[in-house]
Amino acid sequence: MFDDLKEKLSEYVDTPVDEITEDTRFIEDLGMNSFQFMSLLGYLEEEYDIVVDESEVRGLSTVGDAVKYIEDLTKE
């Protein structure tokens, strides 16, 4: 999950995959804007057959937060 998310993130931002860690922040470290973040969420919904709650994802600030959130949704 983490490696897949890193690969996908590298398509949206100019950060090499090997520099993305679980502590990497979407806005502060990767410089993502809201459109990029929502596009990423759309990809994740489709890829993992999940439904993302927009109010819950507002609290996701790091890559690790997103991985845990997606893993929790795929366990349900």
Coordinates of all heavy atoms in Angstrom, one line a residue:
M1 N 0.8 -1.2 0.0 CA 0.0 0.0 0.0 C 0.9 1.3 0.0 O 0.7 2.2 -0.8 CB -0.9 0.0 1.2 CG -1.6 1.3 1.5 SD -3.0 1.6 0.5 CE -4.0 0.2 0.8
F2 N 1.8 1.3 0.9 CA 2.7 2.5 1.0 C 3.5 2.7 -0.3 O 3.5 3.8 -0.8 CB 3.6 2.3 2.2 CG 4.6 3.4 2.4 CD1 4.2 4.8 2.5 CD2 6.0 3.2 2.3 CE1 5.2 5.8 2.6 CE2 6.9 4.2 2.5 CZ 6.5 5.5 2.6
D3 N 4.1 1.7 -0.8 CA 4.8 1.8 -2.1 C 4.0 2.2 -3.2 O 4.4 3.1 -4.0 CB 5.6 0.5 -2.4 CG 6.7 0.2 -1.4 OD1 7.3 1.1 -0.9 OD2 7.0 -1.0 -1.2
D4 N 2.8 1.7 -3.3 CA 1.8 2.1 -4.4 C 1.5 3.6 -4.2 O 1.5 4.3 -5.2 CB 0.6 1.3 -4.3 CG -0.4 1.6 -5.4 OD1 0.0 1.8 -6.6 OD2 -1.6 1.8 -5.1
L5 N 1.2 4.0 -3.0 CA 0.9 5.4 -2.8 C 2.1 6.3 -3.1 O 1.9 7.4 -3.8 CB 0.4 5.6 -1.3 CG -0.1 7.0 -1.0 CD1 -1.2 7.5 -1.9 CD2 -0.5 7.0 0.5
K6 N 3.3 5.9 -2.8 CA 4.5 6.7 -3.1 C 4.6 6.8 -4.6 O 4.9 7.9 -5.1 CB 5.7 6.1 -2.6 CG 5.9 6.2 -1.1 CD 7.2 5.8 -0.6 CE 8.0 4.8 -1.3 NZ 9.3 4.5 -0.7
E7 N 4.4 5.7 -5.4 CA 4.5 5.8 -6.8 C 3.5 6.7 -7.4 O 3.8 7.5 -8.3 CB 4.3 4.4 -7.4 CG 5.5 3.4 -7.1 CD 6.7 3.8 -7.9 OE1 6.7 4.3 -9.0 OE2 7.8 3.5 -7.4
K8 N 2.3 6.6 -6.9 CA 1.2 7.5 -7.4 C 1.5 9.0 -7.1 O 1.3 9.8 -7.9 CB -0.1 7.1 -6.9 CG -1.3 7.6 -7.7 CD -1.2 7.1 -9.1 CE -2.4 7.6 -9.9 NZ -2.2 7.2 -11.3
L9 N 2.0 9.2 -5.9 CA 2.3 10.6 -5.5 C 3.3 11.2 -6.4 O 3.3 12.4 -6.7 CB 2.8 10.6 -4.1 CG 1.7 10.6 -3.0 CD1 2.3 10.4 -1.6 CD2 0.9 11.9 -3.0
S10 N 4.3 10.4 -6.8 CA 5.4 10.9 -7.6 C 4.9 11.4 -9.0 O 5.5 12.2 -9.7 CB 6.5 9.9 -7.8 OG 6.1 8.8 -8.6
E11 N 3.7 10.9 -9.4 CA 3.1 11.4 -10.7 C 2.4 12.8 -10.5 O 2.2 13.5 -11.5 CB 2.0 10.4 -11.1 CG 2.5 9.1 -11.5 CD 1.4 8.1 -11.8 OE1 0.3 8.5 -12.2 OE2 1.7 6.9 -11.8
Y12 N 2.1 13.2 -9.3 CA 1.5 14.4 -9.0 C 2.4 15.5 -8.6 O 2.1 16.7 -8.7 CB 0.4 14.3 -7.9 CG -0.8 13.5 -8.3 CD1 -0.9 12.1 -8.1 CD2 -1.9 14.1 -8.8 CE1 -2.0 11.4 -8.4 CE2 -3.0 13.4 -9.2 CZ -3.1 12.1 -9.0 OH -4.2 11.4 -9.4
V13 N 3.6 15.2 -8.0 CA 4.5 16.1 -7.5 C 5.9 15.9 -8.0 O 6.2 14.8 -8.5 CB 4.5 16.1 -5.9 CG1 3.2 16.5 -5.4 CG2 5.0 14.8 -5.4
D14 N 6.8 16.9 -7.8 CA 8.2 16.8 -8.3 C 9.1 16.3 -7.2 O 10.2 16.8 -7.0 CB 8.6 18.1 -8.8 CG 7.9 18.5 -10.1 OD1 7.5 17.6 -10.9 OD2 7.8 19.7 -10.3
T15 N 8.7 15.2 -6.5 CA 9.5 14.7 -5.4 C 9.8 13.2 -5.8 O 8.9 12.5 -6.1 CB 8.7 14.7 -4.1 OG1 8.3 16.1 -3.8 CG2 9.6 14.2 -2.9
P16 N 11.1 12.9 -5.8 CA 11.5 11.5 -6.1 C 10.8 10.5 -5.1 O 10.7 10.8 -3.9 CB 13.0 11.5 -5.9 CG 13.4 12.9 -6.1 CD 12.3 13.7 -5.5
V17 N 10.5 9.3 -5.6 CA 9.8 8.3 -4.8 C 10.6 8.0 -3.5 O 10.0 7.9 -2.4 CB 9.6 7.0 -5.6 CG1 9.0 5.9 -4.8 CG2 8.6 7.3 -6.8
D18 N 11.9 7.9 -3.6 CA 12.7 7.5 -2.5 C 12.8 8.6 -1.4 O 13.3 8.3 -0.3 CB 14.1 7.1 -2.9 CG 14.9 8.1 -3.6 OD1 14.3 9.1 -4.1 OD2 16.1 8.0 -3.7
E19 N 12.3 9.8 -1.7 CA 12.3 10.8 -0.7 C 10.9 10.9 0.0 O 10.8 11.7 1.0 CB 12.6 12.2 -1.3 CG 14.1 12.3 -1.8 CD 14.4 13.6 -2.4 OE1 13.6 14.6 -2.2 OE2 15.4 13.7 -3.1
I20 N 10.0 10.1 -0.4 CA 8.7 10.2 0.3 C 8.6 9.1 1.4 O 8.9 7.9 1.1 CB 7.5 9.9 -0.8 CG1 7.6 11.0 -1.9 CG2 6.2 9.8 -0.1 CD1 6.6 10.7 -3.0
T21 N 8.4 9.6 2.6 CA 8.3 8.7 3.7 C 6.9 8.8 4.3 O 6.0 9.5 3.9 CB 9.3 9.1 4.8 OG1 8.8 10.4 5.4 CG2 10.7 9.3 4.3
E22 N 6.6 8.0 5.3 CA 5.3 8.0 6.0 C 5.1 9.3 6.7 O 3.9 9.7 6.9 CB 5.2 6.8 6.9 CG 5.0 5.5 6.2 CD 4.5 4.4 7.1 OE1 4.1 4.6 8.2 OE2 4.6 3.2 6.6
D23 N 6.1 10.0 7.0 CA 6.0 11.3 7.7 C 5.9 12.5 6.7 O 5.7 13.6 7.2 CB 7.2 11.5 8.6 CG 7.2 10.6 9.8 OD1 6.1 10.2 10.3 OD2 8.3 10.1 10.2
T24 N 6.0 12.2 5.4 CA 5.9 13.3 4.4 C 4.5 13.9 4.5 O 3.5 13.2 4.4 CB 6.3 12.7 3.0 OG1 7.6 12.2 3.1 CG2 6.2 13.8 2.0
R25 N 4.5 15.2 4.5 CA 3.2 15.9 4.6 C 2.8 16.3 3.1 O 3.6 16.8 2.3 CB 3.3 17.2 5.5 CG 3.6 16.8 6.9 CD 4.0 18.0 7.7 NE 5.2 18.5 7.2 CZ 5.8 19.7 7.6 NH1 5.2 20.3 8.6 NH2 6.9 20.1 7.1
F26 N 1.5 16.2 2.8 CA 1.0 16.4 1.5 C 1.2 17.9 1.1 O 1.7 18.1 0.0 CB -0.5 16.1 1.4 CG -0.8 14.6 1.5 CD1 -1.4 14.1 2.6 CD2 -0.4 13.7 0.5 CE1 -1.6 12.7 2.7 CE2 -0.6 12.4 0.6 CZ -1.2 11.9 1.7
I27 N 0.8 18.8 1.9 CA 0.9 20.2 1.5 C 2.3 20.8 1.8 O 2.9 21.3 0.9 CB -0.2 21.0 2.3 CG1 -1.6 20.5 1.8 CG2 -0.1 22.5 2.0 CD1 -2.7 21.0 2.6
E28 N 2.7 20.7 3.0 CA 4.0 21.3 3.4 C 5.2 20.8 2.7 O 6.1 21.5 2.3 CB 4.2 21.3 4.9 CG 3.2 22.0 5.7 CD 1.9 21.2 6.0 OE1 1.7 20.2 5.4 OE2 1.1 21.6 6.9
D29 N 5.3 19.4 2.6 CA 6.5 18.8 2.0 C 6.4 18.6 0.5 O 7.4 18.7 -0.2 CB 6.8 17.5 2.7 CG 7.0 17.7 4.2 OD1 7.6 18.7 4.6 OD2 6.7 16.8 5.0
L30 N 5.2 18.2 0.1 CA 5.0 17.8 -1.4 C 4.4 19.0 -2.2 O 4.5 18.9 -3.4 CB 4.1 16.6 -1.5 CG 4.6 15.3 -0.9 CD1 3.6 14.2 -1.0 CD2 6.0 14.9 -1.5
G31 N 3.9 20.0 -1.5 CA 3.3 21.1 -2.2 C 2.1 20.8 -3.0 O 1.8 21.5 -3.9
M32 N 1.3 19.8 -2.5 CA 0.1 19.4 -3.2 C -1.0 20.5 -3.0 O -1.1 21.1 -1.9 CB -0.4 18.1 -2.8 CG 0.4 16.9 -3.2 SD -0.3 15.3 -2.7 CE -1.4 15.1 -4.1
N33 N -1.8 20.7 -4.1 CA -2.9 21.6 -3.9 C -4.2 20.7 -3.7 O -4.1 19.5 -3.8 CB -3.0 22.6 -5.1 CG -3.2 21.9 -6.4 OD1 -3.9 20.9 -6.5 ND2 -2.6 22.4 -7.4
S34 N -5.3 21.3 -3.5 CA -6.5 20.6 -3.2 C -6.9 19.8 -4.4 O -7.4 18.6 -4.2 CB -7.6 21.5 -2.7 OG -7.9 22.5 -3.7
F35 N -6.8 20.3 -5.6 CA -7.1 19.5 -6.8 C -6.3 18.2 -6.9 O -6.8 17.2 -7.2 CB -7.0 20.4 -8.1 CG -7.3 19.6 -9.3 CD1 -8.6 19.3 -9.7 CD2 -6.3 19.1 -10.1 CE1 -8.9 18.6 -10.8 CE2 -6.5 18.4 -11.3 CZ -7.8 18.1 -11.6
Q36 N -5.0 18.4 -6.7 CA -4.1 17.2 -6.8 C -4.5 16.2 -5.7 O -4.5 15.0 -6.0 CB -2.7 17.6 -6.6 CG -2.1 18.4 -7.7 CD -0.7 19.0 -7.4 OE1 -0.6 19.5 -6.3 NE2 0.2 18.9 -8.3
F37 N -4.8 16.7 -4.5 CA -5.1 15.7 -3.4 C -6.5 15.0 -3.7 O -6.6 13.8 -3.5 CB -5.2 16.5 -2.1 CG -5.4 15.7 -0.9 CD1 -4.4 14.9 -0.5 CD2 -6.6 15.6 -0.2 CE1 -4.5 14.0 0.7 CE2 -6.8 14.8 0.9 CZ -5.7 14.0 1.3
M38 N -7.4 15.7 -4.2 CA -8.7 15.1 -4.6 C -8.6 14.1 -5.7 O -9.2 13.1 -5.7 CB -9.8 16.2 -4.9 CG -10.1 17.1 -3.7 SD -10.6 16.1 -2.2 CE -12.2 15.5 -2.6
S39 N -7.7 14.5 -6.7 CA -7.5 13.5 -7.8 C -6.8 12.2 -7.3 O -7.2 11.1 -7.7 CB -6.5 14.2 -8.8 OG -7.1 15.3 -9.4
L40 N -5.9 12.4 -6.3 CA -5.3 11.2 -5.7 C -6.3 10.4 -5.0 O -6.3 9.2 -5.1 CB -4.2 11.7 -4.7 CG -3.5 10.6 -3.9 CD1 -2.7 9.7 -4.8 CD2 -2.6 11.2 -2.9
L41 N -7.2 11.0 -4.3 CA -8.2 10.3 -3.6 C -9.1 9.5 -4.5 O -9.5 8.4 -4.3 CB -9.1 11.2 -2.7 CG -8.4 11.9 -1.5 CD1 -9.3 12.8 -0.8 CD2 -7.8 10.8 -0.6
G42 N -9.5 10.2 -5.7 CA -10.3 9.5 -6.7 C -9.6 8.2 -7.2 O -10.2 7.2 -7.4
Y43 N -8.3 8.3 -7.4 CA -7.5 7.2 -7.8 C -7.6 6.1 -6.8 O -7.8 4.9 -7.1 CB -6.0 7.6 -8.1 CG -5.1 6.4 -8.1 CD1 -5.0 5.5 -9.1 CD2 -4.3 6.1 -6.9 CE1 -4.2 4.4 -9.1 CE2 -3.5 5.0 -6.9 CZ -3.4 4.1 -8.0 OH -2.6 3.0 -7.9
L44 N -7.4 6.4 -5.5 CA -7.4 5.5 -4.4 C -8.7 4.8 -4.3 O -8.8 3.6 -4.1 CB -7.0 6.1 -3.1 CG -5.5 6.6 -3.1 CD1 -5.3 7.5 -1.8 CD2 -4.5 5.5 -3.2
E45 N -9.8 5.5 -4.5 CA -11.1 5.0 -4.4 C -11.3 3.9 -5.5 O -11.8 2.8 -5.2 CB -12.2 6.0 -4.6 CG -12.4 6.9 -3.3 CD -13.5 7.9 -3.5 OE1 -13.6 8.5 -4.6 OE2 -14.3 8.1 -2.5
E46 N -10.9 4.2 -6.7 CA -11.0 3.3 -7.8 C -10.1 2.1 -7.6 O -10.5 1.0 -7.8 CB -10.7 4.0 -9.1 CG -11.1 3.3 -10.3 CD -11.0 4.1 -11.6 OE1 -11.6 5.2 -11.6 OE2 -10.2 3.7 -12.5
E47 N -8.9 2.4 -7.3 CA -7.9 1.3 -7.2 C -8.2 0.3 -6.1 O -8.0 -0.9 -6.2 CB -6.5 1.9 -6.9 CG -5.4 1.0 -6.8 CD -5.0 0.3 -8.1 OE1 -5.4 0.8 -9.2 OE2 -4.3 -0.7 -8.1
Y48 N -8.7 0.8 -4.9 CA -8.9 -0.1 -3.8 C -10.4 -0.4 -3.5 O -10.7 -1.0 -2.5 CB -8.2 0.5 -2.6 CG -6.7 0.5 -2.7 CD1 -6.1 1.7 -3.0 CD2 -6.0 -0.7 -2.6 CE1 -4.7 1.7 -3.2 CE2 -4.6 -0.7 -2.7 CZ -4.0 0.5 -3.0 OH -2.6 0.5 -3.2
D49 N -11.2 0.1 -4.4 CA -12.7 -0.1 -4.3 C -13.2 0.3 -2.9 O -13.8 -0.5 -2.2 CB -13.0 -1.6 -4.6 CG -14.5 -1.8 -4.8 OD1 -15.2 -0.9 -5.3 OD2 -15.0 -2.9 -4.5
I50 N -12.9 1.5 -2.6 CA -13.3 2.1 -1.3 C -14.1 3.4 -1.6 O -14.0 3.9 -2.7 CB -12.1 2.4 -0.4 CG1 -11.1 3.4 -1.1 CG2 -11.4 1.1 0.1 CD1 -10.0 3.8 -0.2
V51 N -14.8 3.9 -0.6 CA -15.4 5.2 -0.6 C -14.8 6.0 0.5 O -14.9 5.7 1.6 CB -16.9 5.0 -0.4 CG1 -17.6 6.4 -0.4 CG2 -17.6 4.1 -1.5
V52 N -14.2 7.1 0.0 CA -13.6 8.0 1.0 C -14.5 9.1 1.5 O -15.3 9.7 0.7 CB -12.4 8.7 0.2 CG1 -11.8 9.8 1.1 CG2 -11.3 7.7 -0.2
D53 N -14.6 9.2 2.8 CA -15.4 10.3 3.4 C -14.7 11.6 3.4 O -13.6 11.7 4.0 CB -15.8 9.8 4.8 CG -16.7 10.8 5.5 OD1 -16.7 12.0 5.2 OD2 -17.5 10.3 6.4
E54 N -15.2 12.5 2.6 CA -14.5 13.8 2.5 C -14.2 14.5 3.8 O -13.2 15.1 4.0 CB -15.3 14.7 1.6 CG -14.4 15.6 0.7 CD -15.3 16.3 -0.3 OE1 -15.9 15.7 -1.2 OE2 -15.2 17.6 -0.2
S55 N -15.1 14.4 4.8 CA -14.9 15.1 6.0 C -13.8 14.4 6.8 O -13.1 15.0 7.6 CB -16.2 15.1 6.9 OG -16.6 13.8 7.2
E56 N -13.6 13.1 6.6 CA -12.5 12.4 7.3 C -11.1 12.6 6.7 O -10.1 12.7 7.4 CB -12.8 10.9 7.3 CG -13.9 10.5 8.2 CD -14.2 9.0 8.2 OE1 -13.5 8.3 7.5 OE2 -15.1 8.6 8.9
V57 N -11.1 12.8 5.4 CA -9.7 13.0 4.8 C -9.2 14.3 5.0 O -8.0 14.5 4.8 CB -9.8 12.6 3.2 CG1 -10.1 11.2 3.0 CG2 -10.7 13.5 2.5
R58 N -10.0 15.3 5.4 CA -9.4 16.6 5.7 C -8.4 16.5 6.8 O -7.6 17.4 6.9 CB -10.6 17.6 6.1 CG -11.4 17.9 4.9 CD -12.4 19.0 5.2 NE -13.3 19.2 4.1 CZ -14.6 19.3 4.1 NH1 -15.2 19.3 5.3 NH2 -15.3 19.5 3.0
G59 N -8.5 15.5 7.7 CA -7.6 15.4 8.8 C -6.3 14.6 8.4 O -5.4 14.5 9.3
L60 N -6.2 14.1 7.2 CA -5.0 13.4 6.8 C -4.0 14.4 6.3 O -4.1 15.1 5.3 CB -5.4 12.4 5.6 CG -6.5 11.4 5.9 CD1 -6.7 10.6 4.6 CD2 -6.2 10.6 7.1
S61 N -2.9 14.5 7.0 CA -1.8 15.4 6.6 C -0.6 14.7 6.1 O 0.2 15.3 5.4 CB -1.5 16.4 7.8 OG -1.0 15.6 8.9
T62 N -0.3 13.5 6.5 CA 0.9 12.8 6.1 C 0.5 11.6 5.2 O -0.6 11.1 5.3 CB 1.7 12.3 7.3 OG1 1.0 11.3 8.0 CG2 2.1 13.4 8.2
V63 N 1.5 11.1 4.5 CA 1.4 9.9 3.7 C 1.0 8.7 4.6 O 0.1 7.9 4.3 CB 2.7 9.6 2.9 CG1 2.6 8.3 2.2 CG2 2.9 10.7 2.0
G64 N 1.6 8.6 5.8 CA 1.3 7.6 6.8 C -0.1 7.6 7.2 O -0.8 6.6 7.4
D65 N -0.7 8.8 7.4 CA -2.1 9.0 7.8 C -3.0 8.4 6.7 O -3.9 7.7 7.0 CB -2.5 10.4 8.0 CG -1.8 11.1 9.2 OD1 -1.3 10.4 10.1 OD2 -1.8 12.4 9.1
A66 N -2.6 8.7 5.5 CA -3.4 8.2 4.3 C -3.4 6.6 4.2 O -4.4 6.0 4.0 CB -3.0 8.8 3.0
V67 N -2.2 6.1 4.4 CA -2.0 4.6 4.3 C -2.9 4.0 5.4 O -3.6 3.0 5.1 CB -0.5 4.2 4.5 CG1 -0.4 2.8 4.7 CG2 0.3 4.7 3.3
K68 N -2.8 4.5 6.6 CA -3.6 3.9 7.7 C -5.1 4.0 7.4 O -5.8 3.0 7.6 CB -3.3 4.5 9.0 CG -4.0 3.9 10.2 CD -3.6 4.5 11.5 CE -4.4 4.0 12.7 NZ -5.5 3.1 12.5
Y69 N -5.5 5.1 6.9 CA -6.9 5.4 6.6 C -7.4 4.4 5.5 O -8.4 3.7 5.7 CB -7.1 6.8 6.1 CG -8.5 7.1 5.8 CD1 -9.5 7.3 6.7 CD2 -8.9 7.3 4.4 CE1 -10.8 7.6 6.3 CE2 -10.2 7.6 4.0 CZ -11.2 7.7 5.0 OH -12.5 8.0 4.7
I70 N -6.6 4.2 4.5 CA -7.0 3.3 3.4 C -7.0 1.9 3.9 O -7.9 1.1 3.6 CB -6.1 3.5 2.2 CG1 -6.2 4.9 1.6 CG2 -6.3 2.4 1.1 CD1 -5.1 5.3 0.7
E71 N -6.0 1.5 4.7 CA -5.9 0.1 5.2 C -7.1 -0.2 6.1 O -7.7 -1.3 6.0 CB -4.6 -0.1 6.0 CG -3.4 -0.2 5.0 CD -2.1 -0.3 5.8 OE1 -2.0 0.0 7.0 OE2 -1.1 -0.7 5.1
D72 N -7.5 0.8 6.9 CA -8.7 0.6 7.7 C -10.0 0.4 6.9 O -10.8 -0.4 7.2 CB -8.9 1.8 8.7 CG -7.9 1.8 9.8 OD1 -7.1 0.8 10.0 OD2 -7.8 2.9 10.4
L73 N -10.1 1.2 5.8 CA -11.3 1.1 4.9 C -11.3 -0.3 4.2 O -12.4 -0.8 3.9 CB -11.3 2.2 3.9 CG -11.7 3.6 4.4 CD1 -11.6 4.6 3.2 CD2 -13.1 3.5 4.9
T74 N -10.1 -0.8 3.8 CA -10.1 -2.0 3.1 C -10.3 -3.3 3.9 O -10.6 -4.3 3.5 CB -8.8 -2.2 2.3 OG1 -7.7 -2.1 3.2 CG2 -8.6 -1.1 1.2
K75 N -10.2 -3.1 5.3 CA -10.5 -4.2 6.2 C -11.9 -4.4 6.5 O -12.4 -5.4 6.9 CB -9.7 -3.9 7.5 CG -8.2 -4.0 7.5 CD -7.6 -3.7 8.8 CE -6.1 -3.7 8.7 NZ -5.5 -3.2 9.9
E76 N -12.7 -3.3 6.2 CA -14.2 -3.4 6.6 C -14.9 -4.3 5.7 O -14.6 -4.6 4.5 CB -14.8 -2.0 6.5 CG -14.2 -1.1 7.5 CD -14.8 0.3 7.5 OE1 -15.6 0.6 6.6 OE2 -14.4 1.1 8.3

